[in-house]
Amino acid sequence: MLKMTRESFEELVSEALDQVPPELARLMDNVAVFVEDEPDPSDPELLGLYEGTPLTERGEWYAGVLPDRILIYMGPTLRYCETAQEVVHEVTVTVVHEIAHHFGIEEERLHELGWG
């Protein structure tokens, strides 16, 4: 397994977030991004997860709720990648993928666009 400090991995996530175009970043609403060590044991290879209500599904009822969460998993990412460059690429893809879920883009469409 590739070795990387949590601080370095968190920096990669931060850099991936910085690559989100400002016009899209401004549209993100009530969402927080976290780095976690491992996903639920039922899906140990999961690299990222979006938990919440996509912007496309929010209605008048959406008020006073806790922020949506985007989770980026360090352990599976480091096990999946063989080089530091692969980690940079995979973190970027994962962050974009989970942000897309926040915007209501489904899994199938993300794969069609190359962000699967």
Side-chain angles (χ1 to χ4, degrees):
M1 180 169 107
L2 192 64
K3 300 289 184 194
M4 180 178 285
T5 66
R6 184 175 180 104
E7 181 180 319
S8 294
F9 190 85
E10 288 175 351
E11 182 63 30
L12 292 179
V13 171
S14 178
E15 289 170 6
L17 288 167
D18 288 343
Q19 293 180 36
V20 174
E23 57 273 12
L24 288 179
R26 281 192 294 274
L27 295 173
M28 292 175 65
D29 182 46
N30 200 32
V31 62
V33 179
F34 300 96
V35 170
E36 297 286 338
D37 291 329
E38 297 291 337
D40 188 283
S42 65
D43 199 356
E45 296 178 11
L46 190 65
L47 303 182
L49 180 66
Y50 170 73
E51 297 178 329
T53 304
L55 295 174
T56 54
E57 296 178 17
R58 294 180 185 179
E60 293 177 12
W61 58 269
Y62 189 86
V65 298
L66 292 174
D68 294 358
R69 296 174 6 126
I70 291 175
L71 306 170
I72 308 298
Y73 297 111
M74 184 174 160
T77 303
L78 295 180
R79 288 190 295 275
Y80 177 76
C81 298
E82 294 182 13
T83 68
Q85 279 305 106
E86 286 181 15
V87 173
V88 170
H89 173 76
E90 198 57 51
V91 165
T92 301
V93 168
T94 304
V95 167
V96 169
H97 183 103
E98 302 310 330
I99 288 173
H101 286 317
H102 176 67
F103 283 101
I105 300 172
E106 299 292 332
E107 201 72 32
E108 182 178 300
R109 181 67 178 137
L110 284 169
H111 284 276
E112 290 171 4
L113 295 171
W115 294 101

